[in-house]
Amino acid sequence: MVEPQPPAPCRPFRSHPARWLGFAVLSTFLLMSEPALTAAQEAAQQEWIVISGGPALRFFEHGKADSHDKYWGNFIRAAVARLEQLQLQAEGKSGVTISWLVYRPAYASRSREERLDILPKIVDQANVLKIPLYWFDTTEQLINYLNAGHDRKVMPIGSLDYFGHSNRACLMFDYSTYFDNMSKECLHEKDLGQIQRKAFLRRAAVKSWGCHSGEDFSQWWKRRFGVPMVGAVGRTDYATASLPYLSKGAKWAQ
Amino acid sequence: MIPAGGASELSPPAGLANGPAPVPLGSRFSGFLFLWRRSLPLGTLSFCLVSLLPLHAEEPPPQVSSQPPPPLSASPSPNEAPAVPAQPVRPVSQQAPEPLNPPPGVRIEEFIGHRSYDKDGSGWGWVKRVNEPWSAARWVVFEETPGGVVAPWRLLNKKRTADNDFEYRLRGYLAPFSVYDPHTDEFLAVFVPESVEPMGPAAPPPEHPGPPPHRVRLPDSSSPVSVSDPNIQPPDALR
């Protein structure tokens, strides 16, 4: 049993002008800022976005010891698995719009290489899920969508998932698609300033499922948006044709 | 579970299938039978000697050959059917199947290119206009088109070092965009070729004795750069 402690002697209240001033300023600030925060945190509408980068060309990757993207659909199958999860989470919640953004040129190139009509297969996946599919061809188009795909004051981004190639400093929507071992369309951490802060909810859930994002990109993201991005320290593996898992020795960080 | 190539379970082991056929005992002991008929002690002695020989005595024991391996030749001997098409030993000329269509404001010009293999990144080499000094050369990425013009080393022995320090007369243009090299965290200029004409091996330009130094970022201790492509090594600063 803990013996009840005698109450501490009350100090007589003494008015102090500096304290009163500080209290008044703080109260005013909270009164002014709280409605805005509440509105942002409890937006009536929000958008949950899944982004799929594109696969490499076998022309460039064939024969390499660490050959990427033997299967063209790694980033599609993983995104579909995530979209299904999001649909379950959104059940019963009003005002949630789920969108799927796919980097088209890489799949068009791979289609030509494999002589396989890949784009309709991706459209079919979106139709089955009844989710709007948006193709993007450049990084600029993606940034435009994040900033203004919807009125972000009304419908901010509440969730963002990225599936694709990446390193510690960059999300690469193509890799070995146009240039061997290189990327033409990518989002570098130094370019995050092109995305508006207000595009995201303050409690948005953001995750990169690519390799190495948690080593540096996540920190830049947090500094820019104030919203953490979960990313891998190490590599991720898409071999299961579902959500990728961490390779040996890797871990998630934010 | 059916193994890949399940038919191999029904096939004889490779060593038995491909090894020399066992010698019939009749031929193996025919000489000893002849001696035994003439002289019993001599026949018995020869029987013992023959019995001590290994069953596959005709199979030569494995030896370390003192001969050097046969040289990699582009022209195999006429008796050998080439399993793989012979690779040229010199870079070959290339021409785009269709004329290039450069973006507005960009025109196709003549360039000289010096191939300089970069073990740390994916740049191709130095490129300058014909009438420019090497000091004006730019470090570029070589745009390749499957079925069109590709990096010359692909048409050699498929090793990236195959045409190191080789010079080319190039026709094409410098693209108005750059591409990202994830191994060095740099954006590089792009050369779009319309034709490639090999000139020959050449010493590196004094102004550019090799690839440019890379602007690698300082790594933190918990995140070493992971590079598993044997052709690409992380920069010295990250090793």
Side-chain angles (χ1 to χ4, degrees), chain A:
Chain A
M1 290 290 292
V2 178
E3 291 293 328
Q5 297 293 321
C10 294
R11 290 180 180 175
F13 180 76
R14 285 183 295 180
S15 174
H16 196 292
R19 285 183 184 172
W20 273 107
L21 183 62
F23 181 76
V25 168
L26 183 62
S27 303
T28 309
F29 175 75
L30 289 175
L31 284 171
M32 290 176 65
S33 60
E34 192 171 6
L37 286 176
T38 306
Q41 288 174 351
E42 298 173 2
Q45 298 181 60
Q46 55 181 291
E47 185 177 20
W48 295 356
I49 296 175
V50 173
I51 302 171
S52 290
L57 282 187
R58 295 305 301 158
F59 173 78
F60 291 122
E61 290 294 306
H62 179 71
K64 290 181 182 174
D66 186 21
S67 181
H68 290 92
D69 302 341
K70 291 172 184 168
Y71 171 51
W72 63 264
N74 285 339
F75 307 136
I76 297 299
R77 293 288 294 270
V80 167
R82 180 62 180 149
L83 287 165
E84 288 171 344
Q85 283 185 348
L86 292 174
Q87 280 185 321
L88 288 174
Q89 290 178 24
E91 278 181 4
K93 290 182 182 175
S94 61
V96 173
T97 299
I98 302 177
S99 305
W100 187 17
L101 279 63
V102 180
Y103 180 70
R104 174 167 48 189
Y107 293 97
S109 299
R110 188 69 180 252
S111 288
R112 287 191 293 274
E113 183 180 57
E114 293 201 13
R115 296 179 183 175
L116 181 68
D117 219 357
I118 292 174
L119 300 187
K121 295 179 186 296
I122 299 172
V123 174
D124 288 345
Q125 294 283 334
N127 289 339
V128 168
L129 293 169
K130 297 178 181 171
I131 283 175
L133 167 68
Y134 300 100
W135 300 111
F136 68 98
D137 295 350
T138 63
T139 305
E140 184 182 8
Q141 289 176 351
L142 174 70
I143 291 174
N144 283 343
Y145 185 87
L146 297 178
N147 284 336
H150 296 275
D151 183 351
R152 295 302 175 200
K153 290 178 184 169
V154 178
M155 188 189 291
I157 299 168
S159 171
L160 182 71
D161 290 271
Y162 171 72
F163 298 91
H165 290 288
S166 59
N167 68 353
R168 53 186 292 157
C170 196
L171 307 182
M172 293 174 276
F173 309 121
D174 66 273
Y175 174 80
S176 280
T177 302
Y178 302 102
F179 299 91
D180 194 7
N181 291 332
M182 307 191 84
S183 177
K184 185 182 176 191
E185 298 296 336
C186 57
L187 179 63
H188 197 271
E189 60 194 10
K190 293 176 182 172
D191 296 328
L192 287 177
Q194 297 177 33
I195 305 174
Q196 295 170 7
R197 283 194 182 91
K198 66 180 182 183
F200 292 90
L201 277 177
R202 290 178 63 86
R203 291 182 299 181
V206 182
K207 184 167 186 174
S208 166
W209 299 78
C211 301
H212 302 293
S213 292
E215 297 170 14
D216 211 28
F217 194 89
S218 292
Q219 287 86 332
W220 281 67
W221 185 278
K222 180 73 186 297
R223 280 199 292 271
R224 168 63 187 166
F225 301 106
V227 176
M229 167 186 264
V230 177
V233 176
R235 304 184 68 170
T236 54
D237 198 318
Y238 285 75
T240 59
S242 182
L243 286 176
Y245 59 88
L246 291 168
S247 298
K248 189 177 179 183
K251 63 179 180 180
W252 294 115
Q254 63 182 33

Side-chain angles (χ1 to χ4, degrees), chain B residues 139-204:
Chain B
W139 179 252
V140 298
V141 176
F142 199 89
E143 184 173 281
E144 300 180 86
T145 307
V149 178
V150 297
W153 63 263
R154 285 190 197 278
L155 304 177
L156 296 169
N157 56 11
K158 294 188 183 293
K159 286 184 180 171
R160 291 170 192 266
T161 55
D163 64 340
N164 192 34
D165 283 332
F166 210 89
E167 282 191 3
Y168 299 90
R169 183 175 293 273
L170 306 169
R171 187 172 163 77
Y173 65 90
L174 289 166
F177 59 85
S178 58
V179 292
Y180 179 67
D181 185 345
H183 301 100
T184 58
D185 194 28
E186 292 173 318
F187 285 86
L188 302 181
V190 174
F191 181 77
V192 185
E194 186 178 69
S195 66
V196 176
E197 189 68 37
M199 295 168 63

